[in-house]
Amino acid sequence: MTTTTARGAAPARKATGTGTGNAAPRRRRRPRSDLKVALLFIAPALLGFVAFYLVPSIRGVYLSFTEYSVLGDPTWIGIKNYTAIFADDLFWNAMAVTVQYVALNIGFQTVIALGLALLMHNVAKSTLIRGALLLPFLVANVIVALLWFWMLDYQLGIVNEVINWLGLPRIAFFGSEQWAIPTIAGVNVWRHMGYTALLIFAGLQSIPNHVYEVASLDGASPTRTFWSITMPLLRPVLVLVLVVTVIGSFQVFDTVAVTTGGGPINASRVIQMYIYQKAFGESDFGYASALSVILFVILALVAFVQMKFLKGNESDLD
Amino acid sequence: MKKTLGAVAAAAAIAISLSACGGSAPASTEAKGEINYWLWDANQLPAYQQCADDFTKANPDIKVKITQRGWDDYWTTLTNGFVAGTAPDVFTNHLSKYPEYAAKKQLLSLDDAVAKDGIKLESYTKGLPELWVGQDGKRYGLPKDWDTVGLFYNTAMTDSAGLTAEQMANLDWNPQDGGSYEKAIAHLTVDKNGVRGDAAGFDKNNVAVYGLGLAGSGSGQGQTEWSFLSATTGWSATDKNPWGTKFNYDDPKFQETIAWWAGLVEKGYMPKLETTVGASLADNFGAGKAAINTTGDWLIGQYKSYKGVKTAFAPTPKGPEGKRASMFNGLADSVWAGSKNPAASVKWVEYLASTACQDVVASKGVVFPALTSSSEKAAEAFKAKGTDVSAFTTHVKEGTTFLFPIADKAAKVDGIMKPAMDAVLSGKKPASSLTEANNQVNALFK
């Protein structure tokens, strides 16, 4: 701690100073007492982070180098799990299926949510309608999945009844290899688009109105305004939304678990489903941990790349 | 002050570790207290609740708390319970699951109890008690019931097709042309225009009623789907049963059987696999979408409950050598090794396996108890309800049952075989692709 920073920070501290019994001569040593107070405030979150994230993560990494069936002790087997994973066809299949899901899910979700957000911002100003958009998100994931599972049922579902009534052939939405992943992606788009739209909507509101006024004075068309003003100024929020939704999308599990269970054949065996199957179905917790570590690394890379190339931490407003 | 606290903590830790060590030795030698019992079949809950009430009446010191959980959650919850120490003292166990639990030392051996309390193993239906002797030669369960497979058919449909009960009970099958079994299935299939499956002009893409319903591909066991066919060819899933270590999914006899069965889809006599996801075999039968279902005797009650549908039962068809076959599966009750109350738990298991309880179960007419005498009573109870169950009992009488394949690593075998069988049944791969799956399965045991 240098005196320069202490001096530099002093005025600010004077304004927000705690002022409780801190005599003036001790002002210089305040950085340390700030740390204490800060720690006090961080403590609950830190405790939760250490107990529920850090320790389990470290243990997960450790378990990925072991053979462990829960009942019994883990045995250290080095990188055997990892070498096995790279030779495991089902792992590569799971990755391909997951990427396919993420592409469909994020693609549709982001575009639809952006559209909804623009509508919320410019057209639908009633709180009721804005609230209604969020409704699917308020229903539990599993319920949503089951609801669609029944509605899209091949024999008895209402959607297939309508298709049949239109004179078209019935579609095995969850049963056929071609349809399983698009269907699951669609169900999750339906559930999440309102929430994603809300995040983007908040971003839209932070764009100052005067920019639009200037644009309209200059005679810019609505399309031009959208691409030259809305999109660039929305970028930080969009990047954040993308990072969060992509990470969430990679971890799709519940919808798959309650509908297809990974089938037909391996068409919807996404990575989280495969991890669950290995761990809780086949009691192979070591292997499942190694899969999870790989997923962790992939997600960290994805987030890093998104932040880096989309410059999510900078705003064009300045 | 700090020191005393530390000492107290240390003493407490020792006490905890001591009591934890006590897990291997009987924690409580006295048979009293509350014990937890789990089962998955809701249809059987009333019968076992009555058993528990009777048991507590006879042993006022022991209370039994019964929890019913659906099959899908049952096993993961149980495994988690083993780890967390919250597993039930006694639970209904399945042949495909117990080998792993026994190997992981989660089950209490019942040999001492059987010897001490003089349980007569010969009074159970032949073959059942031995199923529960693990690879280490110890007994991990006392048999509670058994089941076989049969043909469930819609009598209105067989009547209109001109098939008599006599004919349905005497079908034969072979993997080449399917025998009279396939002829019956074809004849019972009707398309949207009312043309039967074996008539000219049958539209296989617009079927109104399938001759044979489909539950799924049956994974590596095909208990109710295909095992009653493949077994008549002399094929068995493993080199020896129980505790086989080499699987025979590469056998041409097996692959021929599966090829014939999968061929029914192509012919339009059986629904496509993709239409079965999320669907219930029994409900589609109840809705009149299939004429015959092959399934197990534990579903008799459900099939009888559909309004406007009359269901009758026929034994599975005779194979190429003139004999029938049915997988013989039996459940048992096991005691968790971590039970805090092993004495009371063993007593409850013995009661569950006794005539007193199994007669109660028999009287409900929902399942066949393991004791031969109780099983006969169950057949009578079914009869009193107007159900002829000879299609299921005939296998036991004539000795045409074969055992559920009991092997280690069942979950991993399933993880390979289910997608492999799905691929064949959905027509994505030929039956010969099962040879590759078989190699993967066998590699698990090397």
Side-chain angles (χ1 to χ4, degrees):
Chain A
M1 187 74 39
T2 61
T3 42
T4 3
T5 54
R7 215 184 301 132
R13 241 183 289 118
K14 205 184 269 173
T16 62
T18 51
T20 53
N22 271 330
R26 295 185 56 194
R27 196 170 281 166
R28 274 182 167 221
R29 295 186 56 200
R30 270 215 193 148
R32 247 182 42 207
S33 76
D34 266 5
L35 184 73
K36 271 188 189 162
V37 173
L39 278 178
L40 191 72
F41 278 99
I42 293 171
L46 191 69
L47 208 70
F49 175 75
V50 170
F52 297 112
Y53 289 92
L54 193 64
V55 171
S57 302
I58 291 170
R59 185 165 160 78
V61 172
Y62 159 70
L63 287 177
S64 74
F65 295 102
T66 65
E67 199 179 307
Y68 181 46
S69 70
V70 186
L71 307 165
D73 295 320
T75 11
W76 185 268
I77 55 165
I79 59 160
K80 255 194 202 156
N81 282 329
Y82 289 94
T83 49
I85 285 172
F86 284 104
D88 182 353
D89 288 342
L90 276 177
F91 165 71
W92 292 110
N93 171 70
M95 285 317 300
V97 169
T98 311
V99 168
Q100 191 199 347
Y101 168 83
V102 172
L104 284 172
N105 181 234
I106 295 303
F108 282 100
Q109 184 171 296
T110 313
V111 172
I112 295 175
L114 185 60
L116 283 177
L118 287 169
L119 284 176
M120 279 160 94
H121 192 56
N122 299 321
V123 187
K125 307 220 165 156
S126 124
T127 322
L128 191 74
I129 294 175
R130 286 176 181 176
L133 283 174
L134 204 60
L135 274 181
F137 187 72
L138 300 179
V139 185
N141 243 348
V142 171
I143 310 283
V144 167
L146 283 178
L147 187 78
W148 281 101
F149 196 39
W150 291 327
M151 292 208 300
L152 297 174
D153 184 84
Y154 184 82
Q155 296 284 0
L156 313 163
I158 185 160
V159 176
N160 265 315
E161 288 297 326
V162 171
I163 291 175
N164 199 31
W165 177 74
L166 291 173
L168 300 166
R170 286 172 183 267
I171 298 170
F173 286 103
F174 287 99
S176 86
E177 281 186 280
Q178 292 78 27
W179 279 97
I181 279 295
T183 305
I184 293 166
V187 169
N188 284 335
V189 166
W190 180 81
R191 180 171 185 265
H192 291 277
M193 60 189 184
Y195 176 70
T196 315
L198 193 72
L199 293 179
I200 299 174
F201 174 62
L204 285 176
Q205 283 184 318
S206 71
I207 301 176
N209 231 352
H210 64 81
V211 203
Y212 287 106
E213 278 162 22
V214 172
S216 77
L217 279 180
D218 286 347
S221 69
T223 336
R224 180 70 203 266
T225 316
F226 175 75
W227 287 112
S228 303
I229 296 178
T230 310
M231 282 307 267
L233 293 181
L234 201 55
R235 203 200 57 228
V237 173
L238 268 184
V239 172
L240 173 85
V241 166
L242 272 179
V243 171
V244 172
T245 53
V246 166
I247 290 175
S249 187
F250 260 99
Q251 301 186 12
V252 59
F253 171 73
D254 29 22
T255 318
V256 180
V258 297
T259 58
T260 63
I265 312 178
N266 292 311
S268 63
R269 207 172 300 278
V270 292
I271 187 73
Q272 289 274 20
M273 189 71 216
Y274 190 49
I275 292 173
Y276 173 80
Q277 177 193 336
K278 279 286 165 200
F280 296 93
E282 301 176 13
S283 298
D284 210 341
F285 283 81
Y287 196 86
S289 298
L291 287 169
S292 306
V293 170
I294 291 176
L295 180 62
F296 173 79
V297 171
I298 291 173
L299 290 183
L301 278 176
V302 168
F304 174 77
V305 168
Q306 282 177 321
M307 291 305 274
K308 180 97 185 159
F309 289 96
L310 298 173
K311 299 197 202 93
N313 48 358
E314 296 166 25
S315 169
D316 291 344
L317 261 182
D318 304 329
Chain B
M1 186 60 203
K2 262 194 176 161
K3 251 186 189 163
T4 44
L5 246 180
V8 169
I14 291 167
I16 289 166
S17 61
L18 276 178
S19 63
C21 289
S24 52
S28 153
T29 45
E30 263 183 290
K32 62 177 182 185
E34 190 185 70
I35 49 176
N36 280 300
Y37 176 60
W38 282 11
L39 52 82
W40 65 78
D41 189 350
N43 295 323
Q44 298 179 34
L45 184 60
Y48 285 103
Q49 188 58 55
Q50 196 182 327
C51 283
D53 295 345
D54 295 349
F55 178 71
T56 304
K57 219 175 272 171
N59 305 280
D61 288 345
I62 310 176
K63 297 259 180 306
V64 180
K65 193 174 162 242
I66 302 184
T67 307
Q68 183 264 330
R69 274 175 205 281
W71 169 269
D72 289 339
D73 299 323
Y74 191 86
W75 302 104
T76 41
T77 318
L78 191 65
T79 314
N80 291 344
F82 289 154
V83 180
T86 55
D89 303 279
V90 182
F91 59 95
T92 307
N93 211 344
H94 193 267
L95 288 174
S96 66
K97 308 281 178 179
Y98 99 88
E100 198 187 338
Y101 297 152
K104 302 269 159 59
K105 308 210 183 314
Q106 294 303 313
L107 303 179
L108 194 74
S109 147
L110 298 170
D111 294 282
D112 294 345
V114 168
K116 202 178 77 200
D117 298 322
I119 290 168
K120 293 193 188 67
L121 295 170
E122 63 276 8
S123 48
Y124 294 97
T125 303
K126 208 174 142 249
L128 290 184
E130 291 75 48
L131 292 173
W132 296 91
V133 178
Q135 259 174 314
D136 53 5
K138 287 185 183 152
R139 185 173 304 277
Y140 290 112
L142 288 182
K144 65 189 293 146
D145 60 26
W146 57 261
D147 53 68
T148 57
V149 178
L151 307 182
F152 291 49
Y153 63 91
N154 184 321
T155 54
M157 290 179 186
T158 50
D159 285 351
S160 76
L163 287 160
T164 64
E166 176 79 22
Q167 282 172 302
M168 287 301 290
N170 287 293
L171 297 172
D172 61 71
W173 171 85
N174 65 68
Q176 284 76 43
D177 65 7
S180 61
Y181 181 50
E182 178 170 335
K183 287 204 182 79
I185 292 170
H187 196 54
L188 285 164
T189 307
V190 183
D191 74 8
K192 287 251 152 69
N193 304 316
V195 181
R196 292 201 173 269
D198 52 1
F202 168 67
D203 179 4
K204 67 175 187 179
N205 295 319
N206 282 299
V207 179
V209 178
Y210 288 99
L212 189 64
L214 179 67
S217 70
S219 190
Q221 293 116 26
Q223 182 180 11
T224 61
E225 291 88 0
W226 43 261
S227 69
F228 58 93
L229 298 174
S230 57
T232 63
T233 66
W235 178 82
S236 65
T238 47
D239 53 347
K240 59 178 189 221
N241 195 18
W243 314 119
T245 52
K246 196 180 156 289
F247 282 76
N248 300 322
Y249 300 120
D250 56 347
D251 190 322
K253 280 186 290 201
F254 170 71
Q255 296 186 355
E256 266 171 30
T257 305
I258 298 304
W260 172 82
W261 184 55
L264 293 180
V265 177
E266 179 51 32
K267 290 169 189 162
Y269 301 161
M270 189 165 78
K272 288 194 176 91
L273 182 67
E274 61 181 42
T275 68
T276 64
V277 175
S280 149
L281 174 78
D283 289 347
N284 274 326
F285 181 90
K289 305 240 183 206
I292 306 177
N293 277 179
T294 61
T295 190
D297 59 35
W298 61 90
L299 285 178
I300 292 173
Q302 184 170 349
Y303 275 79
K304 279 282 179 186
S305 70
Y306 291 112
K307 290 210 167 62
V309 176
K310 242 189 114 225
T311 310
F313 311 99
T316 55
K318 287 179 180 145
E321 279 149 37
K323 280 185 83 177
R324 307 180 197 280
S326 165
M327 194 178 272
F328 197 37
N329 182 30
L331 307 182
D333 292 304
S334 296
V335 178
W336 177 39
S339 167
K340 298 206 172 53
N341 211 338
S345 301
V346 168
K347 206 162 186 184
W348 167 237
V349 167
E350 285 177 359
Y351 184 76
L352 285 168
S354 71
T355 326
C357 177
Q358 299 212 344
D359 278 357
V360 167
V361 176
S363 71
K364 306 272 179 192
V366 283
V367 68
F368 295 101
L371 282 164
T372 319
S373 58
S374 305
S375 182
E376 281 156 10
K377 281 183 185 147
E380 280 162 28
F382 275 118
K383 209 171 179 182
K385 287 204 245 175
T387 308
D388 178 8
V389 289
S390 57
F392 305 99
T393 52
T394 178
H395 287 291
V396 180
K397 277 197 196 105
E398 291 173 15
T400 49
T401 58
F402 63 96
L403 295 178
F404 185 96
I406 301 169
D408 206 4
K409 308 189 180 182
K412 289 194 178 176
V413 174
D414 199 48
I416 296 168
M417 286 310 293
K418 185 163 187 308
M421 286 297 297
D422 282 0
V424 174
L425 194 58
S426 58
K428 296 273 160 19
K429 282 182 181 172
S432 55
S433 68
L434 294 167
T435 304
E436 168 54 27
N438 193 57
N439 293 340
Q440 288 178 30
V441 169
N442 283 334
L444 293 174
F445 291 87
K446 269 170 198 148

